[in-house]
Amino acid sequence: MKIAIRYQSRGGNTKTMAETAAEALGVSTLTIDEGLNERTDRLILCGGTYAFTADEAMLRFISDLDPELIGEAVVMVTASGTKHGLKAITGALIKKGITVSDKSYLLKLKGQGLALLGRAGGDLTEEQKKEIKAFAREMG
């Protein structure tokens, strides 16, 4: 099975989540800036939640995807605790005509990674990484 992982991250938490999933699956990961130009059986799409939705860059990436290149999409999202980003990414994929797995992953950060003078992130706990790897292996 060919698996591709693409991510969008502002503060580093989603990047670390994508890299952790990639490590568990033995594949590489790229930012959404790299696009997707070849057929993949499973696209694991990792995004963050910002102001109760997905980042605009992620939504543009999805709108540019060719549904013929993707067997199935799996959504993994970081958030303070809400499912808004998960729903936005999943909805955009469905609207584009891409089959979305009924399994998704929401990493609830509850403020983790926020610094007083700006965003800081990417320092996930070992328990969080363990959960991410288990989910990724289930999807691989």
Side-chain angles (χ1 to χ4, degrees):
M1 173 183 295
K2 183 165 174 70
I3 298 173
I5 300 178
R6 296 293 185 276
Y7 73 91
Q8 169 278 318
S9 182
R10 288 186 190 177
N13 290 319
T14 307
K15 177 182 179 186
T16 299
M17 180 175 69
E19 291 171 343
T20 302
E23 178 184 324
L25 294 170
V27 300
S28 61
T29 184
L30 298 170
T31 70
I32 58 172
D33 297 331
E34 302 297 325
L36 183 70
N37 301 314
E38 59 186 14
R39 172 90 176 134
T40 185
D41 297 308
R42 184 161 289 145
L43 170 63
I44 298 177
L45 199 52
C46 303
T49 303
Y50 311 98
F52 301 104
T53 192
D55 188 274
E56 282 298 317
M58 174 61 79
L59 298 176
R60 280 192 304 276
F61 171 77
I62 294 168
S63 72
D64 291 341
L65 285 173
D66 179 353
E68 297 297 318
L69 294 178
I70 303 163
E72 177 184 58
V74 174
V75 180
M76 298 180 72
V77 174
T78 58
S80 62
T82 69
K83 294 184 179 182
H84 293 88
L86 184 64
K87 290 178 181 179
I89 292 171
T90 300
L93 288 163
I94 291 169
K95 183 178 177 181
K96 186 68 180 185
I98 297 169
T99 301
V100 180
S101 172
D102 60 349
K103 295 183 180 182
S104 60
Y105 184 82
L106 175 62
L107 177 59
K108 295 180 181 181
L109 297 170
K110 300 178 183 172
Q112 177 183 344
L114 295 178
L116 181 60
L117 299 175
R119 295 188 154 297
D123 191 20
L124 301 181
T125 67
E126 288 307 311
E127 183 61 30
Q128 288 169 322
K129 289 179 182 179
K130 182 178 174 185
E131 290 176 13
I132 291 164
K133 287 179 180 179
F135 178 80
R137 286 187 191 107
E138 183 181 343
M139 294 298 97

